[in-house]
Amino acid sequence: MKELALLEIIAINIKKIRITQNISQEELAFRCNVSKNYLSDIERGTRNITVHIIEKIIKGLNISINELFAV
């Protein structure tokens, strides 16, 4: 089984949590003050994100940092 890179783990968890919370990409992007396209890139793992954006996403999803990095 392939070991996931940290960026992939974050991307998978953001999408999984967002869907579980029944939040659209558009709504989460609004909460995080980023564009929907930027959020889509993050969820696909094609965008390198900063700690600042990670913080916005954690607040937008109302989760702990542990949930975002869970394997």
Side-chain angles (χ1 to χ4, degrees):
M1 185 172 166
K2 177 187 161 204
E3 187 173 321
L4 295 177
L6 185 56
L7 190 59
E8 291 175 292
I9 292 167
I10 293 169
I12 290 165
N13 286 341
I14 290 170
K15 185 172 184 176
K16 179 179 69 175
I17 294 166
R18 178 182 62 74
I19 290 170
T20 300
Q21 292 184 8
N22 200 29
I23 301 170
S24 68
Q25 278 186 339
E26 187 173 24
E27 173 62 24
L28 182 56
F30 175 77
R31 291 181 188 186
C32 299
N33 195 30
V34 299
S35 75
K36 184 172 138 323
N37 290 338
Y38 186 78
L39 183 62
S40 175
D41 288 349
I42 292 170
E43 286 189 355
R44 286 184 286 123
T46 60
R47 185 70 74 131
N48 240 341
I49 57 176
T50 64
V51 173
H52 181 68
I53 296 297
I54 289 172
E55 183 178 28
K56 286 182 169 190
I57 291 169
I58 288 170
K59 288 179 180 176
L61 289 171
N62 194 29
I63 60 170
S64 72
I65 193 154
N66 293 340
E67 290 174 89
L68 186 63
F69 289 96
V71 180

